[in-house]
Amino acid sequence: MNKHMKIVVIGGSGLIGKKLVNNLRQHGQEVVAASPSSGVNTMTGEGLAKALTGAQVVVDVSNAPSWEDQAVLEFFETSGRNLLAAEGAAGVGHHVTLSVVGTDRLLASGYFRAKMAQEDLIKASGIPYTIVRATQFFEFLGGIAQLSTVGQTVHLPPVLWQPIAADDVASELAQVTLGAPVNGMIELAGPEPAGLDELVRRFLGATKDPREVITDVDARYYGLEVNDQSLTPGANPRIGATSFKDWLQNYLSQKKS
Protein backbone atom coordinates (compact mmCIF):
# COMPACT_ATOMS: atom_id res chain seq x y z
CA MET A 1 0.00 0.00 0.00
CA ASN A 2 1.23 3.46 -0.89
CA LYS A 3 1.58 5.25 2.46
CA HIS A 4 0.85 8.74 1.15
CA MET A 5 -1.41 9.24 -1.83
CA LYS A 6 -3.40 11.93 -3.53
CA ILE A 7 -7.00 10.73 -3.56
CA VAL A 8 -9.84 12.49 -5.36
CA VAL A 9 -13.35 11.90 -3.99
CA ILE A 10 -16.01 12.66 -6.61
CA GLY A 11 -19.22 13.60 -4.80
CA GLY A 12 -17.10 14.71 -1.86
CA SER A 13 -19.81 16.99 -0.44
CA GLY A 14 -22.53 14.31 -0.13
CA LEU A 15 -23.55 12.07 2.80
CA ILE A 16 -20.88 9.41 2.20
CA GLY A 17 -18.42 11.75 0.49
CA LYS A 18 -17.99 14.04 3.51
CA LYS A 19 -17.46 11.12 5.88
CA LEU A 20 -15.01 9.44 3.48
CA VAL A 21 -12.96 12.62 2.96
CA ASN A 22 -12.60 13.04 6.75
CA ASN A 23 -11.73 9.37 7.17
CA LEU A 24 -8.98 9.44 4.53
CA ARG A 25 -7.53 12.69 5.89
CA GLN A 26 -7.31 11.06 9.32
CA HIS A 27 -5.23 8.35 7.60
CA GLY A 28 -2.81 11.11 6.55
CA GLN A 29 -3.78 11.17 2.87
CA GLU A 30 -4.00 14.19 0.58
CA VAL A 31 -7.69 14.31 -0.32
CA VAL A 32 -9.48 16.47 -2.87
CA ALA A 33 -13.24 16.70 -2.21
CA ALA A 34 -14.52 17.24 -5.75
CA SER A 35 -18.08 18.29 -6.58
CA PRO A 36 -19.79 20.88 -8.80
CA SER A 37 -19.74 23.28 -5.81
CA SER A 38 -15.92 23.04 -5.76
CA GLY A 39 -15.66 23.62 -9.53
CA VAL A 40 -15.37 19.97 -10.62
CA ASN A 41 -18.22 18.83 -12.87
CA THR A 42 -18.10 15.27 -14.21
CA MET A 43 -21.06 15.94 -16.53
CA THR A 44 -19.29 18.74 -18.43
CA GLY A 45 -15.72 17.68 -17.62
CA GLU A 46 -15.04 21.12 -16.10
CA GLY A 47 -12.13 21.08 -13.61
CA LEU A 48 -11.55 17.32 -13.93
CA ALA A 49 -8.07 17.34 -15.45
CA LYS A 50 -6.80 19.82 -12.86
CA ALA A 51 -8.32 17.92 -9.91
CA LEU A 52 -6.89 14.59 -11.10
CA THR A 53 -3.34 15.81 -11.74
CA GLY A 54 -1.00 13.61 -9.69
CA ALA A 55 -3.85 11.53 -8.22
CA GLN A 56 -3.22 7.84 -7.52
CA VAL A 57 -6.82 6.95 -6.62
CA VAL A 58 -10.26 8.27 -7.57
CA VAL A 59 -13.33 7.35 -5.51
CA ASP A 60 -16.71 8.02 -7.14
CA VAL A 61 -19.54 8.40 -4.61
CA SER A 62 -21.51 10.88 -6.71
CA ASN A 63 -25.23 10.51 -7.28
CA ALA A 64 -27.59 11.71 -9.97
CA PRO A 65 -29.53 14.92 -9.28
CA SER A 66 -32.62 13.46 -10.97
CA TRP A 67 -33.78 9.82 -10.78
CA GLU A 68 -36.02 10.09 -13.84
CA ASP A 69 -35.10 7.14 -16.13
CA GLN A 70 -33.45 9.04 -19.00
CA ALA A 71 -31.80 11.69 -16.81
CA VAL A 72 -30.23 9.18 -14.44
CA LEU A 73 -28.87 7.05 -17.29
CA GLU A 74 -27.42 10.13 -18.95
CA PHE A 75 -25.82 11.21 -15.67
CA PHE A 76 -24.05 7.91 -14.91
CA GLU A 77 -22.99 7.29 -18.53
CA THR A 78 -21.75 10.81 -19.32
CA SER A 79 -20.19 11.35 -15.92
CA GLY A 80 -18.61 7.87 -16.01
CA ARG A 81 -17.11 8.35 -19.47
CA ASN A 82 -15.71 11.80 -18.66
CA LEU A 83 -14.26 10.65 -15.36
CA LEU A 84 -12.66 7.47 -16.69
CA ALA A 85 -11.17 9.33 -19.68
CA ALA A 86 -9.67 11.94 -17.35
CA GLU A 87 -8.31 9.17 -15.09
CA GLY A 88 -6.72 7.43 -18.07
CA ALA A 89 -5.03 10.69 -19.11
CA ALA A 90 -3.83 11.38 -15.54
CA GLY A 91 -2.49 7.85 -15.03
CA VAL A 92 -4.75 7.05 -12.07
CA GLY A 93 -3.99 3.56 -10.72
CA HIS A 94 -7.22 2.67 -8.88
CA HIS A 95 -10.85 3.62 -9.51
CA VAL A 96 -13.26 2.93 -6.62
CA THR A 97 -17.01 3.28 -7.08
CA LEU A 98 -19.88 2.98 -4.63
CA SER A 99 -22.75 0.98 -6.10
CA VAL A 100 -25.78 -0.86 -4.71
CA VAL A 101 -26.32 -4.47 -3.60
CA GLY A 102 -28.90 -6.06 -5.91
CA THR A 103 -28.23 -3.74 -8.87
CA ASP A 104 -28.25 -6.70 -11.30
CA ARG A 105 -31.52 -8.00 -9.78
CA LEU A 106 -33.43 -4.71 -9.89
CA LEU A 107 -33.13 -3.82 -13.57
CA ALA A 108 -36.85 -3.06 -13.85
CA SER A 109 -35.77 0.29 -12.34
CA GLY A 110 -34.22 3.00 -14.50
CA TYR A 111 -31.95 3.94 -11.59
CA PHE A 112 -30.47 0.45 -11.35
CA ARG A 113 -30.12 0.16 -15.13
CA ALA A 114 -28.07 3.37 -14.93
CA LYS A 115 -25.90 1.99 -12.09
CA MET A 116 -25.35 -1.17 -14.16
CA ALA A 117 -24.25 0.97 -17.13
CA GLN A 118 -21.83 2.79 -14.81
CA GLU A 119 -20.37 -0.52 -13.56
CA ASP A 120 -19.98 -1.80 -17.15
CA LEU A 121 -18.06 1.35 -18.18
CA ILE A 122 -15.65 0.85 -15.26
CA LYS A 123 -15.04 -2.81 -16.11
CA ALA A 124 -14.33 -1.92 -19.74
CA SER A 125 -12.10 1.09 -18.97
CA GLY A 126 -8.80 -0.74 -18.51
CA ILE A 127 -8.21 1.18 -15.25
CA PRO A 128 -7.68 -1.08 -12.20
CA TYR A 129 -10.89 -0.87 -10.17
CA THR A 130 -12.93 -1.94 -7.16
CA ILE A 131 -16.73 -1.72 -7.18
CA VAL A 132 -18.22 -1.62 -3.68
CA ARG A 133 -21.89 -2.54 -3.64
CA ALA A 134 -23.56 -1.52 -0.37
CA THR A 135 -27.02 -2.30 0.94
CA GLN A 136 -29.47 0.50 1.76
CA PHE A 137 -28.44 2.93 4.52
CA PHE A 138 -30.24 3.28 7.87
CA GLU A 139 -30.23 7.02 7.14
CA PHE A 140 -32.85 6.52 4.41
CA LEU A 141 -35.49 4.78 6.56
CA GLY A 142 -37.50 7.99 6.87
CA GLY A 143 -37.41 8.54 3.12
CA ILE A 144 -38.56 4.97 2.43
CA ALA A 145 -41.48 5.46 4.83
CA GLN A 146 -42.37 8.73 3.09
CA LEU A 147 -42.39 7.10 -0.38
CA SER A 148 -44.68 4.32 0.86
CA THR A 149 -47.17 6.50 2.76
CA VAL A 150 -50.85 6.58 1.90
CA GLY A 151 -52.76 8.88 4.25
CA GLN A 152 -51.63 7.84 7.75
CA THR A 153 -50.42 4.37 6.75
CA VAL A 154 -47.12 3.13 5.34
CA HIS A 155 -47.43 0.10 3.04
CA LEU A 156 -44.32 -2.09 2.89
CA PRO A 157 -43.57 -5.70 1.89
CA PRO A 158 -42.21 -8.09 4.55
CA VAL A 159 -39.06 -8.86 2.52
CA LEU A 160 -35.61 -9.30 4.03
CA TRP A 161 -33.00 -6.59 3.77
CA GLN A 162 -29.74 -5.87 5.58
CA PRO A 163 -29.25 -2.09 5.84
CA ILE A 164 -26.02 -0.45 7.03
CA ALA A 165 -24.93 2.77 8.75
CA ALA A 166 -23.45 5.45 6.46
CA ASP A 167 -20.47 5.74 8.84
CA ASP A 168 -19.68 2.07 8.26
CA VAL A 169 -19.94 2.51 4.48
CA ALA A 170 -17.45 5.39 4.61
CA SER A 171 -15.11 3.43 6.88
CA GLU A 172 -15.10 0.35 4.60
CA LEU A 173 -14.71 2.54 1.51
CA ALA A 174 -11.64 4.12 3.11
CA GLN A 175 -10.09 0.67 3.65
CA VAL A 176 -10.80 -0.29 0.03
CA THR A 177 -9.36 3.03 -1.20
CA LEU A 178 -6.12 2.51 0.72
CA GLY A 179 -5.81 -1.09 -0.48
CA ALA A 180 -4.98 -2.63 -3.85
CA PRO A 181 -7.62 -2.80 -6.62
CA VAL A 182 -9.49 -6.14 -6.68
CA ASN A 183 -10.67 -5.70 -10.29
CA GLY A 184 -14.02 -6.99 -9.14
CA MET A 185 -16.78 -6.41 -6.65
CA ILE A 186 -17.02 -6.26 -2.86
CA GLU A 187 -20.41 -6.38 -1.14
CA LEU A 188 -21.09 -4.46 2.03
CA ALA A 189 -24.03 -4.95 4.40
CA GLY A 190 -25.22 -4.24 7.92
CA PRO A 191 -24.80 -6.81 10.71
CA GLU A 192 -28.35 -8.19 10.75
CA PRO A 193 -30.98 -9.18 8.18
CA ALA A 194 -34.47 -7.96 9.12
CA GLY A 195 -37.88 -7.39 7.57
CA LEU A 196 -38.20 -4.13 5.61
CA ASP A 197 -41.61 -3.49 7.18
CA GLU A 198 -40.33 -4.36 10.67
CA LEU A 199 -37.37 -1.93 10.69
CA VAL A 200 -39.42 0.95 9.32
CA ARG A 201 -42.06 0.21 11.98
CA ARG A 202 -39.38 0.31 14.71
CA PHE A 203 -37.95 3.54 13.29
CA LEU A 204 -41.33 5.30 13.16
CA GLY A 205 -42.17 4.08 16.67
CA ALA A 206 -38.86 5.30 18.09
CA THR A 207 -39.21 8.72 16.44
CA LYS A 208 -42.81 9.08 17.75
CA ASP A 209 -44.19 9.14 14.21
CA PRO A 210 -47.96 8.44 14.32
CA ARG A 211 -48.08 6.62 10.96
CA GLU A 212 -48.91 2.91 11.06
CA VAL A 213 -46.89 0.43 9.00
CA ILE A 214 -49.11 -2.04 7.12
CA THR A 215 -47.38 -5.24 6.05
CA ASP A 216 -48.46 -5.77 2.45
CA VAL A 217 -46.97 -8.54 0.30
CA ASP A 218 -47.97 -6.62 -2.85
CA ALA A 219 -46.39 -3.31 -1.76
CA ARG A 220 -43.43 -2.02 -3.74
CA TYR A 221 -39.99 -0.72 -2.81
CA TYR A 222 -39.19 2.44 -4.79
CA GLY A 223 -41.88 1.20 -7.20
CA LEU A 224 -40.21 -2.21 -7.60
CA GLU A 225 -41.42 -5.72 -6.85
CA VAL A 226 -38.86 -7.20 -4.44
CA ASN A 227 -38.20 -10.54 -2.72
CA ASP A 228 -35.84 -11.77 0.01
CA GLN A 229 -32.90 -11.86 -2.44
CA SER A 230 -33.41 -8.39 -3.95
CA LEU A 231 -31.94 -6.26 -1.14
CA THR A 232 -29.62 -8.73 0.63
CA PRO A 233 -25.99 -9.53 -0.18
CA GLY A 234 -24.61 -12.80 -1.52
CA ALA A 235 -22.06 -15.01 0.26
CA ASN A 236 -19.25 -13.41 2.31
CA PRO A 237 -20.09 -9.70 2.30
CA ARG A 238 -18.08 -7.30 4.44
CA ILE A 239 -20.19 -6.46 7.48
CA GLY A 240 -20.55 -3.02 9.05
CA ALA A 241 -20.04 -2.78 12.81
CA THR A 242 -23.12 -0.73 13.76
CA SER A 243 -26.34 -2.55 14.68
CA PHE A 244 -29.71 -0.96 13.94
CA LYS A 245 -30.33 -0.59 17.69
CA ASP A 246 -27.05 1.32 18.22
CA TRP A 247 -27.57 3.45 15.12
CA LEU A 248 -31.11 4.33 16.24
CA GLN A 249 -29.94 5.32 19.76
CA ASN A 250 -27.29 7.55 18.22
CA TYR A 251 -29.80 9.04 15.75
CA LEU A 252 -32.27 9.86 18.53
CA SER A 253 -29.60 11.44 20.77
CA GLN A 254 -28.39 13.60 17.86
CA LYS A 255 -31.96 14.77 17.19
CA LYS A 256 -32.29 15.85 20.84
CA SER A 257 -29.02 17.78 20.91
Side-chain angles (χ1 to χ4, degrees), residues 101-117:
V101 161
T103 289
D104 48 340
R105 300 188 285 277
L106 298 168
L107 297 176
S109 149
Y111 182 81
F112 290 107
R113 289 196 296 276
K115 286 302 284 182
M116 200 75 199

Side-chain angles (χ1 to χ4, degrees), residues 137-146 161 199-200 203 244 247:
F137 309 157
F138 292 140
E139 282 74 6
F140 294 143
L141 280 164
I144 290 164
Q146 197 53 45
W161 67 336
L199 276 203
V200 173
F203 176 75
F244 175 65
W247 175 83

